[in-house]
PDB file of all heavy atoms in Angstrom:
ATOM      1  N   ILE A1160     132.408   0.441  79.181  1.00  0.00           N
ATOM      2  CA  ILE A1160     131.657   1.278  78.226  1.00  0.00           C
ATOM      3  C   ILE A1160     132.491   1.602  76.995  1.00  0.00           C
ATOM      4  O   ILE A1160     132.049   1.535  75.866  1.00  0.00           O
ATOM      5  CB  ILE A1160     131.171   2.584  78.916  1.00  0.00           C
ATOM      6  CG1 ILE A1160     130.103   2.286  79.979  1.00  0.00           C
ATOM      7  CG2 ILE A1160     130.674   3.589  77.912  1.00  0.00           C
ATOM      8  CD1 ILE A1160     129.807   3.432  80.894  1.00  0.00           C
ATOM      9  N   SER A1161     133.779   1.927  77.235  1.00  0.00           N
ATOM     10  CA  SER A1161     134.646   2.294  76.137  1.00  0.00           C
ATOM     11  C   SER A1161     134.904   1.108  75.168  1.00  0.00           C
ATOM     12  O   SER A1161     135.162   1.334  73.982  1.00  0.00           O
ATOM     13  CB  SER A1161     135.990   2.820  76.672  1.00  0.00           C
ATOM     14  OG  SER A1161     136.816   1.757  77.116  1.00  0.00           O
ATOM     15  N   LEU A1162     134.864  -0.106  75.716  1.00  0.00           N
ATOM     16  CA  LEU A1162     135.091  -1.282  74.871  1.00  0.00           C
ATOM     17  C   LEU A1162     133.834  -1.717  74.139  1.00  0.00           C
ATOM     18  O   LEU A1162     133.900  -2.386  73.089  1.00  0.00           O
ATOM     19  CB  LEU A1162     135.594  -2.434  75.749  1.00  0.00           C
ATOM     20  CG  LEU A1162     136.985  -2.271  76.421  1.00  0.00           C
ATOM     21  CD1 LEU A1162     137.256  -3.453  77.323  1.00  0.00           C
ATOM     22  CD2 LEU A1162     138.063  -2.144  75.325  1.00  0.00           C
ATOM     23  N   SER A1163     132.683  -1.384  74.705  1.00  0.00           N
ATOM     24  CA  SER A1163     131.422  -1.891  74.156  1.00  0.00           C
ATOM     25  C   SER A1163     131.154  -1.504  72.721  1.00  0.00           C
ATOM     26  O   SER A1163     130.669  -2.311  71.916  1.00  0.00           O
ATOM     27  CB  SER A1163     130.237  -1.475  75.033  1.00  0.00           C
ATOM     28  OG  SER A1163     130.096  -0.041  74.987  1.00  0.00           O
ATOM     29  N   ALA A1164     131.498  -0.232  72.363  1.00  0.00           N
ATOM     30  CA  ALA A1164     131.212   0.248  71.043  1.00  0.00           C
ATOM     31  C   ALA A1164     132.201  -0.367  69.987  1.00  0.00           C
ATOM     32  O   ALA A1164     131.886  -0.383  68.802  1.00  0.00           O
ATOM     33  CB  ALA A1164     131.280   1.755  70.987  1.00  0.00           C
ATOM     34  N   ILE A1165     133.336  -0.817  70.454  1.00  0.00           N
ATOM     35  CA  ILE A1165     134.339  -1.396  69.554  1.00  0.00           C
ATOM     36  C   ILE A1165     134.175  -2.914  69.444  1.00  0.00           C
ATOM     37  O   ILE A1165     134.351  -3.513  68.387  1.00  0.00           O
ATOM     38  CB  ILE A1165     135.764  -1.078  70.056  1.00  0.00           C
ATOM     39  CG1 ILE A1165     135.965   0.438  70.149  1.00  0.00           C
ATOM     40  CG2 ILE A1165     136.814  -1.667  69.093  1.00  0.00           C
ATOM     41  CD1 ILE A1165     135.818   1.165  68.827  1.00  0.00           C
ATOM     42  N   PHE A1166     133.794  -3.535  70.572  1.00  0.00           N
ATOM     43  CA  PHE A1166     133.608  -4.969  70.556  1.00  0.00           C
ATOM     44  C   PHE A1166     132.208  -5.332  71.039  1.00  0.00           C
ATOM     45  O   PHE A1166     132.014  -5.828  72.173  1.00  0.00           O
ATOM     46  CB  PHE A1166     134.665  -5.619  71.513  1.00  0.00           C
ATOM     47  CG  PHE A1166     136.071  -5.241  71.210  1.00  0.00           C
ATOM     48  CD1 PHE A1166     136.770  -4.384  72.035  1.00  0.00           C
ATOM     49  CD2 PHE A1166     136.698  -5.749  70.067  1.00  0.00           C
ATOM     50  CE1 PHE A1166     138.096  -4.047  71.734  1.00  0.00           C
ATOM     51  CE2 PHE A1166     138.041  -5.397  69.764  1.00  0.00           C
ATOM     52  CZ  PHE A1166     138.734  -4.533  70.612  1.00  0.00           C
ATOM     53  N   PRO A1167     131.194  -5.068  70.242  1.00  0.00           N
ATOM     54  CA  PRO A1167     129.816  -5.291  70.659  1.00  0.00           C
ATOM     55  C   PRO A1167     129.492  -6.784  70.940  1.00  0.00           C
ATOM     56  O   PRO A1167     128.553  -7.056  71.669  1.00  0.00           O
ATOM     57  CB  PRO A1167     128.981  -4.796  69.456  1.00  0.00           C
ATOM     58  CG  PRO A1167     129.924  -4.879  68.300  1.00  0.00           C
ATOM     59  CD  PRO A1167     131.300  -4.542  68.846  1.00  0.00           C
ATOM     60  N   ARG A1168     130.272  -7.657  70.376  1.00  0.00           N
ATOM     61  CA  ARG A1168     130.001  -9.096  70.599  1.00  0.00           C
ATOM     62  C   ARG A1168     130.258  -9.495  72.023  1.00  0.00           C
ATOM     63  O   ARG A1168     129.872 -10.607  72.442  1.00  0.00           O
ATOM     64  CB  ARG A1168     130.836  -9.901  69.642  1.00  0.00           C
ATOM     65  CG  ARG A1168     130.398  -9.808  68.168  1.00  0.00           C
ATOM     66  CD  ARG A1168     131.170 -10.734  67.249  1.00  0.00           C
ATOM     67  NE  ARG A1168     130.712 -10.640  65.901  1.00  0.00           N
ATOM     68  CZ  ARG A1168     131.182 -11.353  64.891  1.00  0.00           C
ATOM     69  NH1 ARG A1168     132.162 -12.272  65.129  1.00  0.00           N
ATOM     70  NH2 ARG A1168     130.752 -11.189  63.666  1.00  0.00           N
ATOM     71  N   ARG A1169     130.938  -8.651  72.808  1.00  0.00           N
ATOM     72  CA  ARG A1169     131.061  -8.927  74.201  1.00  0.00           C
ATOM     73  C   ARG A1169     129.709  -8.986  74.896  1.00  0.00           C
ATOM     74  O   ARG A1169     129.560  -9.622  75.939  1.00  0.00           O
ATOM     75  CB  ARG A1169     131.908  -7.799  74.896  1.00  0.00           C
ATOM     76  CG  ARG A1169     133.328  -7.719  74.395  1.00  0.00           C
ATOM     77  CD  ARG A1169     134.078  -6.497  74.993  1.00  0.00           C
ATOM     78  NE  ARG A1169     134.458  -6.709  76.350  1.00  0.00           N
ATOM     79  CZ  ARG A1169     133.915  -6.121  77.388  1.00  0.00           C
ATOM     80  NH1 ARG A1169     133.000  -5.206  77.181  1.00  0.00           N
ATOM     81  NH2 ARG A1169     134.343  -6.379  78.592  1.00  0.00           N
ATOM     82  N   TYR A1170     128.760  -8.344  74.280  1.00  0.00           N
ATOM     83  CA  TYR A1170     127.352  -8.385  74.770  1.00  0.00           C
ATOM     84  C   TYR A1170     126.459  -9.311  73.922  1.00  0.00           C
ATOM     85  O   TYR A1170     125.249  -9.288  74.057  1.00  0.00           O
ATOM     86  CB  TYR A1170     126.775  -6.963  74.815  1.00  0.00           C
ATOM     87  CG  TYR A1170     127.163  -6.238  76.051  1.00  0.00           C
ATOM     88  CD1 TYR A1170     128.189  -5.352  76.063  1.00  0.00           C
ATOM     89  CD2 TYR A1170     126.468  -6.409  77.248  1.00  0.00           C
ATOM     90  CE1 TYR A1170     128.580  -4.667  77.230  1.00  0.00           C
ATOM     91  CE2 TYR A1170     126.806  -5.736  78.409  1.00  0.00           C
ATOM     92  CZ  TYR A1170     127.862  -4.874  78.407  1.00  0.00           C
ATOM     93  OH  TYR A1170     128.193  -4.210  79.552  1.00  0.00           O
ATOM     94  N   GLY A1171     127.111 -10.021  73.000  1.00  0.00           N
ATOM     95  CA  GLY A1171     126.335 -10.968  72.217  1.00  0.00           C
ATOM     96  C   GLY A1171     125.464 -10.315  71.136  1.00  0.00           C
ATOM     97  O   GLY A1171     124.477 -10.913  70.713  1.00  0.00           O
ATOM     98  N   VAL A1172     125.835  -9.092  70.735  1.00  0.00           N
ATOM     99  CA  VAL A1172     125.058  -8.386  69.702  1.00  0.00           C
ATOM    100  C   VAL A1172     126.022  -7.857  68.595  1.00  0.00           C
ATOM    101  O   VAL A1172     127.205  -7.792  68.823  1.00  0.00           O
ATOM    102  CB  VAL A1172     124.259  -7.204  70.293  1.00  0.00           C
ATOM    103  CG1 VAL A1172     123.243  -7.687  71.304  1.00  0.00           C
ATOM    104  CG2 VAL A1172     125.171  -6.189  70.954  1.00  0.00           C
ATOM    105  N   GLU A1173     125.441  -7.518  67.446  1.00  0.00           N
ATOM    106  CA  GLU A1173     126.238  -6.968  66.362  1.00  0.00           C
ATOM    107  C   GLU A1173     126.254  -5.447  66.355  1.00  0.00           C
ATOM    108  O   GLU A1173     127.158  -4.822  65.895  1.00  0.00           O
ATOM    109  CB  GLU A1173     125.692  -7.482  65.009  1.00  0.00           C
ATOM    110  CG  GLU A1173     125.803  -9.004  64.823  1.00  0.00           C
ATOM    111  CD  GLU A1173     127.236  -9.463  64.738  1.00  0.00           C
ATOM    112  OE1 GLU A1173     128.101  -8.675  64.298  1.00  0.00           O
ATOM    113  OE2 GLU A1173     127.488 -10.615  65.095  1.00  0.00           O
ATOM    114  N   SER A1174     125.180  -4.858  66.921  1.00  0.00           N
ATOM    115  CA  SER A1174     125.035  -3.424  66.898  1.00  0.00           C
ATOM    116  C   SER A1174     125.928  -2.751  67.949  1.00  0.00           C
ATOM    117  O   SER A1174     125.800  -3.082  69.135  1.00  0.00           O
ATOM    118  CB  SER A1174     123.554  -3.024  67.145  1.00  0.00           C
ATOM    119  OG  SER A1174     123.442  -1.643  67.404  1.00  0.00           O
ATOM    120  N   ARG A1175     126.739  -1.836  67.541  1.00  0.00           N
ATOM    121  CA  ARG A1175     127.605  -1.086  68.445  1.00  0.00           C
ATOM    122  C   ARG A1175     126.746  -0.229  69.413  1.00  0.00           C
ATOM    123  O   ARG A1175     127.069  -0.130  70.596  1.00  0.00           O
ATOM    124  CB  ARG A1175     128.616  -0.225  67.695  1.00  0.00           C
ATOM    125  CG  ARG A1175     129.527  -1.019  66.801  1.00  0.00           C
ATOM    126  CD  ARG A1175     130.460  -0.096  66.020  1.00  0.00           C
ATOM    127  NE  ARG A1175     131.191  -0.791  65.015  1.00  0.00           N
ATOM    128  CZ  ARG A1175     132.351  -1.492  65.258  1.00  0.00           C
ATOM    129  NH1 ARG A1175     132.841  -1.501  66.464  1.00  0.00           N
ATOM    130  NH2 ARG A1175     132.990  -2.062  64.252  1.00  0.00           N
ATOM    131  N   TRP A1176     125.719   0.371  68.862  1.00  0.00           N
ATOM    132  CA  TRP A1176     124.881   1.218  69.666  1.00  0.00           C
ATOM    133  C   TRP A1176     124.117   0.443  70.750  1.00  0.00           C
ATOM    134  O   TRP A1176     124.022   0.868  71.916  1.00  0.00           O
ATOM    135  CB  TRP A1176     123.890   1.982  68.773  1.00  0.00           C
ATOM    136  CG  TRP A1176     122.896   2.880  69.517  1.00  0.00           C
ATOM    137  CD1 TRP A1176     121.535   2.737  69.520  1.00  0.00           C
ATOM    138  CD2 TRP A1176     123.184   3.982  70.342  1.00  0.00           C
ATOM    139  NE1 TRP A1176     120.976   3.731  70.302  1.00  0.00           N
ATOM    140  CE2 TRP A1176     121.973   4.492  70.844  1.00  0.00           C
ATOM    141  CE3 TRP A1176     124.394   4.598  70.747  1.00  0.00           C
ATOM    142  CZ2 TRP A1176     121.910   5.593  71.687  1.00  0.00           C
ATOM    143  CZ3 TRP A1176     124.307   5.683  71.580  1.00  0.00           C
ATOM    144  CH2 TRP A1176     123.067   6.194  72.040  1.00  0.00           C
ATOM    145  N   ALA A1177     123.654  -0.757  70.375  1.00  0.00           N
ATOM    146  CA  ALA A1177     122.956  -1.593  71.336  1.00  0.00           C
ATOM    147  C   ALA A1177     123.906  -2.000  72.478  1.00  0.00           C
ATOM    148  O   ALA A1177     123.558  -2.008  73.649  1.00  0.00           O
ATOM    149  CB  ALA A1177     122.391  -2.828  70.629  1.00  0.00           C
ATOM    150  N   ALA A1178     125.134  -2.362  72.079  1.00  0.00           N
ATOM    151  CA  ALA A1178     126.121  -2.797  73.097  1.00  0.00           C
ATOM    152  C   ALA A1178     126.483  -1.640  73.997  1.00  0.00           C
ATOM    153  O   ALA A1178     126.642  -1.799  75.220  1.00  0.00           O
ATOM    154  CB  ALA A1178     127.381  -3.301  72.390  1.00  0.00           C
ATOM    155  N   PHE A1179     126.596  -0.428  73.412  1.00  0.00           N
ATOM    156  CA  PHE A1179     126.902   0.756  74.171  1.00  0.00           C
ATOM    157  C   PHE A1179     125.850   1.040  75.211  1.00  0.00           C
ATOM    158  O   PHE A1179     126.157   1.347  76.404  1.00  0.00           O
ATOM    159  CB  PHE A1179     127.021   1.948  73.206  1.00  0.00           C
ATOM    160  CG  PHE A1179     127.433   3.255  73.836  1.00  0.00           C
ATOM    161  CD1 PHE A1179     128.740   3.469  74.247  1.00  0.00           C
ATOM    162  CD2 PHE A1179     126.498   4.284  74.025  1.00  0.00           C
ATOM    163  CE1 PHE A1179     129.113   4.666  74.832  1.00  0.00           C
ATOM    164  CE2 PHE A1179     126.892   5.490  74.590  1.00  0.00           C
ATOM    165  CZ  PHE A1179     128.168   5.679  75.023  1.00  0.00           C
ATOM    166  N   LYS A1180     124.532   0.929  74.820  1.00  0.00           N
ATOM    167  CA  LYS A1180     123.484   1.154  75.775  1.00  0.00           C
ATOM    168  C   LYS A1180     123.454   0.095  76.863  1.00  0.00           C
ATOM    169  O   LYS A1180     123.149   0.370  78.051  1.00  0.00           O
ATOM    170  CB  LYS A1180     122.124   1.179  75.007  1.00  0.00           C
ATOM    171  CG  LYS A1180     121.941   2.423  74.145  1.00  0.00           C
ATOM    172  CD  LYS A1180     120.519   2.498  73.618  1.00  0.00           C
ATOM    173  CE  LYS A1180     120.203   1.373  72.660  1.00  0.00           C
ATOM    174  NZ  LYS A1180     118.823   1.565  72.057  1.00  0.00           N
ATOM    175  N   MET A1181     123.728  -1.156  76.494  1.00  0.00           N
ATOM    176  CA  MET A1181     123.780  -2.236  77.468  1.00  0.00           C
ATOM    177  C   MET A1181     124.871  -2.016  78.475  1.00  0.00           C
ATOM    178  O   MET A1181     124.749  -2.329  79.669  1.00  0.00           O
ATOM    179  CB  MET A1181     123.917  -3.550  76.761  1.00  0.00           C
ATOM    180  CG  MET A1181     122.724  -3.977  75.919  1.00  0.00           C
ATOM    181  SD  MET A1181     123.021  -5.367  74.790  1.00  0.00           S
ATOM    182  CE  MET A1181     123.107  -6.711  75.984  1.00  0.00           C
ATOM    183  N   ALA A1182     126.010  -1.474  78.018  1.00  0.00           N
ATOM    184  CA  ALA A1182     127.126  -1.203  78.859  1.00  0.00           C
ATOM    185  C   ALA A1182     126.772  -0.114  79.893  1.00  0.00           C
ATOM    186  O   ALA A1182     127.152  -0.202  81.090  1.00  0.00           O
ATOM    187  CB  ALA A1182     128.374  -0.786  78.098  1.00  0.00           C
ATOM    188  N   TRP A1183     126.007   0.882  79.470  1.00  0.00           N
ATOM    189  CA  TRP A1183     125.560   1.936  80.402  1.00  0.00           C
ATOM    190  C   TRP A1183     124.568   1.390  81.431  1.00  0.00           C
ATOM    191  O   TRP A1183     124.584   1.813  82.578  1.00  0.00           O
ATOM    192  CB  TRP A1183     124.925   3.110  79.631  1.00  0.00           C
ATOM    193  CG  TRP A1183     125.966   4.109  79.242  1.00  0.00           C
ATOM    194  CD1 TRP A1183     126.467   4.309  78.003  1.00  0.00           C
ATOM    195  CD2 TRP A1183     126.654   5.023  80.102  1.00  0.00           C
ATOM    196  NE1 TRP A1183     127.431   5.311  78.042  1.00  0.00           N
ATOM    197  CE2 TRP A1183     127.524   5.781  79.300  1.00  0.00           C
ATOM    198  CE3 TRP A1183     126.579   5.295  81.469  1.00  0.00           C
ATOM    199  CZ2 TRP A1183     128.348   6.761  79.804  1.00  0.00           C
ATOM    200  CZ3 TRP A1183     127.375   6.273  81.969  1.00  0.00           C
ATOM    201  CH2 TRP A1183     128.270   7.004  81.164  1.00  0.00           C
ATOM    202  N   LYS A1184     123.725   0.467  81.006  1.00  0.00           N
ATOM    203  CA  LYS A1184     122.828  -0.139  81.951  1.00  0.00           C
ATOM    204  C   LYS A1184     123.625  -0.949  83.007  1.00  0.00           C
ATOM    205  O   LYS A1184     123.267  -0.954  84.192  1.00  0.00           O
ATOM    206  CB  LYS A1184     121.869  -1.094  81.225  1.00  0.00           C
ATOM    207  CG  LYS A1184     120.801  -0.364  80.385  1.00  0.00           C
ATOM    208  CD  LYS A1184     119.893  -1.333  79.686  1.00  0.00           C
ATOM    209  CE  LYS A1184     118.847  -0.606  78.832  1.00  0.00           C
ATOM    210  NZ  LYS A1184     117.953  -1.527  78.101  1.00  0.00           N
ATOM    211  N   ASP A1185     124.674  -1.633  82.579  1.00  0.00           N
ATOM    212  CA  ASP A1185     125.524  -2.342  83.507  1.00  0.00           C
ATOM    213  C   ASP A1185     126.227  -1.405  84.445  1.00  0.00           C
ATOM    214  O   ASP A1185     126.384  -1.660  85.647  1.00  0.00           O
ATOM    215  CB  ASP A1185     126.583  -3.200  82.785  1.00  0.00           C
ATOM    216  CG  ASP A1185     126.016  -4.523  82.256  1.00  0.00           C
ATOM    217  OD1 ASP A1185     124.909  -4.879  82.717  1.00  0.00           O
ATOM    218  OD2 ASP A1185     126.670  -5.168  81.457  1.00  0.00           O
ATOM    219  N   ALA A1186     126.623  -0.221  83.930  1.00  0.00           N
ATOM    220  CA  ALA A1186     127.268   0.808  84.774  1.00  0.00           C
ATOM    221  C   ALA A1186     126.308   1.273  85.877  1.00  0.00           C
ATOM    222  O   ALA A1186     126.733   1.461  87.024  1.00  0.00           O
ATOM    223  CB  ALA A1186     127.739   1.967  83.919  1.00  0.00           C
ATOM    224  N   ALA A1187     125.076   1.464  85.479  1.00  0.00           N
ATOM    225  CA  ALA A1187     124.098   1.875  86.460  1.00  0.00           C
ATOM    226  C   ALA A1187     123.946   0.863  87.587  1.00  0.00           C
ATOM    227  O   ALA A1187     123.798   1.206  88.796  1.00  0.00           O
ATOM    228  CB  ALA A1187     122.701   2.113  85.802  1.00  0.00           C
ATOM    229  N   LYS A1188     123.947  -0.407  87.213  1.00  0.00           N
ATOM    230  CA  LYS A1188     123.867  -1.461  88.221  1.00  0.00           C
ATOM    231  C   LYS A1188     125.121  -1.477  89.138  1.00  0.00           C
ATOM    232  O   LYS A1188     125.025  -1.649  90.340  1.00  0.00           O
ATOM    233  CB  LYS A1188     123.688  -2.826  87.549  1.00  0.00           C
ATOM    234  CG  LYS A1188     122.380  -2.976  86.804  1.00  0.00           C
ATOM    235  CD  LYS A1188     122.341  -4.276  86.035  1.00  0.00           C
ATOM    236  CE  LYS A1188     121.097  -4.377  85.187  1.00  0.00           C
ATOM    237  NZ  LYS A1188     121.051  -5.635  84.361  1.00  0.00           N
ATOM    238  N   ILE A1189     126.281  -1.272  88.519  1.00  0.00           N
ATOM    239  CA  ILE A1189     127.536  -1.272  89.238  1.00  0.00           C
ATOM    240  C   ILE A1189     127.560  -0.112  90.262  1.00  0.00           C
ATOM    241  O   ILE A1189     128.122  -0.213  91.336  1.00  0.00           O
ATOM    242  CB  ILE A1189     128.727  -1.152  88.279  1.00  0.00           C
ATOM    243  CG1 ILE A1189     129.023  -2.474  87.659  1.00  0.00           C
ATOM    244  CG2 ILE A1189     129.953  -0.611  88.978  1.00  0.00           C
ATOM    245  CD1 ILE A1189     129.642  -3.512  88.570  1.00  0.00           C
TER     246      ILE A1189
END
């Protein structure tokens, strides 16, 4: 989650907010 807002391309997106939300969804799955 902490990396998602800095490196959004890890999720294949440009938006930091979108990556941040995707990281939280992954956290819920974990």
Side-chain angles (χ1 to χ4, degrees):
I1160 291 168
S1161 76
L1162 295 175
S1163 64
I1165 302 299
F1166 306 107
R1168 291 186 179 180
R1169 297 174 75 249
Y1170 277 97
V1172 296
E1173 296 293 333
S1174 169
R1175 299 178 189 276
W1176 178 242
F1179 183 74
K1180 290 191 292 184
M1181 293 167 73
W1183 271 105
K1184 288 180 181 179
D1185 279 347
K1188 295 174 184 177
I1189 282 290

